[in-house]
Amino acid sequence: MVITEAQPKPLDLICPDELTTRDGIVNAMQNLVSSDMSGEEQIDHLKNLTERLIAVTGDVAVDEYDRYSKTSERGLQLPHQKLFEQLEDKSVIVTGGTGLIGSKLIPLIKGYNPRRIVSLSRGITTPMEQIEGVEYHNVDIRNADKLKVSIDTISPDVVYHLAAQRLPDLAETEVNRTVTTNVDGTKNIIDALTNAGVDQLIYASTGKTLRPFSPDVYAASKQFTEAILAQASSESPIQISAGRFTHVVDGSNIIRKLASWIENGEVIDIHDPNSVMYVQSAREAAMLLLIAGVDKKPDVLNIHAIRDLGYHINTANVAIGALIKMGGKSPIRFTGYSSGYEEEAYHGLFHPRTSLDISPLINQHEAEAAKPSVLCEEVDVFPFQVGDLSVFNEYVELLKEACNNDMDSGFIKELMAEVSWALWDAKIDAMPPLAVLKAAKKAANIRSHPIASTNKHHFRTDQAFIDKAILLS
């Protein structure tokens, strides 16, 4: 909606809150959005309130915006000698090589003198920079037969697997494509590499997989792939490792949307005034994959994450900072969380004794086995541990069948929830008994609290710990 120049009514008629503090102004804005005031009139008041918000948060917001933008300059220390040993005179494939991180990864790989670099992608995106000597092939990883032929023909020594449908909001509407790309596509990669006798696979995962359970399609699909890769690590000769990423600032959808909204004088929609995120650069993500490629072990899926991602970023402050820096007049509107974005974090994601000393992309259960990487002191690594996956595998096959039959998205989401719970049960089975008992005790204490979360998924996660603890007692 575009801003109008109509004069708003006095603010005290629509919001009695104190309008000299950030919290007071934000409360007024949220109350306004939930009111029955007409759209144009509401926009006028939001514009007035946004000006007040800028006045009380301006310096902090500009600092936050600058910190967000400068993240793109960050990088990691690389173990160059190890990388030369791994990549020199080798044939390398990068799936999703024309994407943002793939376009950063390929030049880094080229610096270690590989014999051949091939990018496999659907051909929908073009590389940020077409690099001389790199081959760009159009191959959809969902097409198992064509993928197998490509892998056989190229005969790679090392494969970096980045191809994915990675947008959380799009995943909620394009459920089939997300599942078939992220889950089935990864299984196709494993099958093709096994058939071709390829030695190594490095996978690009996401920090969203640290959640015990997620109803979000994108996060769940990446959780499934971590488990599938862990199983392949133990059952095939392929050495598999992975890196977990968080929000990448380069080419960010947030900045792109903000620039468009501000330029066109349109409303800036933000999920929540207190929503925060950890951020990293595309360069850091590419470097993390290189480190994961040389910091590996046979029969185990080692997952890597950057330890220090800096202090988290407040999304609303970035928007306010953008308004100030770009000289915009757009009003801000807090809309609530949309599908694909989890509103309330599970209480057991972090352990208070380790949350400051370990990557925030590793949860408290994974942290028990996490250690600093021996090849890069800026990275933490842990072995993905999971118990019997037979039930999980059965549900994954049902999920594949449902997608192949083009079933309704609602049905596929329900089936994904069953896959997720089967995976969570298998993860609990792999946890040390003492860790389960501690988690169950914590869960029971939280459940007895009068202001405990009413989130049904969190409740079921807690109950799984409690049930397991009863069996162990």
Side-chain angles (χ1 to χ4, degrees), residues 24-37:
I25 296 167
V26 163
N27 285 338
M29 296 172 88
Q30 290 176 310
N31 290 338
L32 188 62
V33 170
S34 62
S35 72
D36 58 1
M37 183 177 290

Side-chain angles (χ1 to χ4, degrees), residues 211 213-216 337-338 340-346 455 458:
R211 304 169 184 174
F213 170 91
S214 178
D216 302 340
Y337 286 87
S338 58
Y341 295 89
E342 195 167 57
E343 180 174 355
E344 181 183 6
Y346 177 64
N455 185 300
H458 296 175

Side-chain angles (χ1 to χ4, degrees), residues 346-454:
Y346 177 64
H347 62 78
L349 289 187
F350 307 104
H351 194 292
R353 287 200 300 271
T354 62
S355 59
L356 297 178
D357 303 317
I358 202 164
S359 172
L361 306 186
I362 298 175
N363 69 36
Q364 71 171 32
H365 314 298
E366 297 163 340
E368 298 285 340
K371 296 179 180 178
S373 167
V374 296
L375 297 176
C376 179
E377 62 182 12
E378 301 164 290
V379 170
D380 291 316
V381 57
F382 72 94
F384 186 96
Q385 297 172 320
V386 67
D388 183 3
L389 286 173
S390 56
V391 176
F392 167 79
N393 289 333
E394 290 175 8
Y395 276 120
V396 168
E397 285 304 308
L398 291 174
L399 183 62
K400 180 178 181 178
E401 184 180 344
C403 290
N404 287 343
N405 291 330
D406 202 22
M407 298 293 286
D408 176 78
S409 293
F411 177 82
I412 294 175
K413 287 183 180 181
E414 290 177 5
L415 191 52
M416 290 185 77
E418 296 303 320
V419 182
S420 293
W421 288 121
L423 177 56
W424 180 234
D425 288 340
K427 286 182 177 180
I428 291 180
D429 286 343
M431 293 178 194
L434 184 58
V436 174
L437 293 172
K438 285 182 178 179
K441 182 177 180 180
K442 180 179 179 180
N445 288 338
I446 288 174
R447 286 292 137 212
S448 65
H449 199 280
I451 57 170
S453 169
T454 57

Side-chain angles (χ1 to χ4, degrees), residues 49-185:
L49 289 168
T50 299
E51 290 173 355
R52 290 173 180 258
L53 192 58
I54 289 172
V56 299
T57 62
D59 291 341
V60 171
V62 168
D63 287 346
E64 196 103 329
Y65 178 87
D66 288 342
R67 187 161 62 90
Y68 179 92
S69 301
K70 290 177 181 177
T71 299
S72 62
E73 302 169 6
R74 293 192 327 212
L76 299 171
Q77 293 295 317
L78 292 175
H80 297 296
Q81 184 58 41
K82 291 287 187 181
L83 285 163
F84 272 111
E85 292 172 8
Q86 179 203 19
L87 298 173
E88 191 167 27
D89 200 33
K90 298 296 196 303
S91 177
V92 181
I93 284 178
V94 179
T95 74
T98 59
L100 174 62
I101 297 170
S103 294
K104 295 288 186 181
L105 177 62
I106 286 176
L108 292 175
I109 294 172
K110 189 175 182 182
Y112 296 102
N113 302 327
R115 182 176 71 259
R116 185 182 188 186
I117 303 177
V118 181
S119 165
L120 299 184
S121 68
R122 291 189 302 146
I124 303 300
T125 56
T126 56
M128 297 171 63
E129 177 186 359
Q130 191 146 336
I131 300 165
E132 185 179 355
V134 175
E135 302 171 41
Y136 294 92
H137 296 187
N138 292 348
V139 178
D140 191 331
I141 62 171
R142 295 175 296 177
N143 187 328
D145 292 336
K146 187 173 181 180
L147 178 65
K148 180 178 178 294
V149 170
S150 294
I151 298 293
D152 286 344
T153 303
I154 297 166
S155 189
D157 300 290
V158 180
V159 175
Y160 293 88
H161 177 30
L162 284 71
Q165 195 305 96
R166 62 178 183 82
L167 299 176
D169 49 354
L170 184 62
E172 298 301 316
T173 56
E174 296 195 7
V175 179
N176 189 308
R177 181 164 77 88
T178 301
V179 173
T180 53
T181 301
N182 297 359
V183 182
D184 297 337

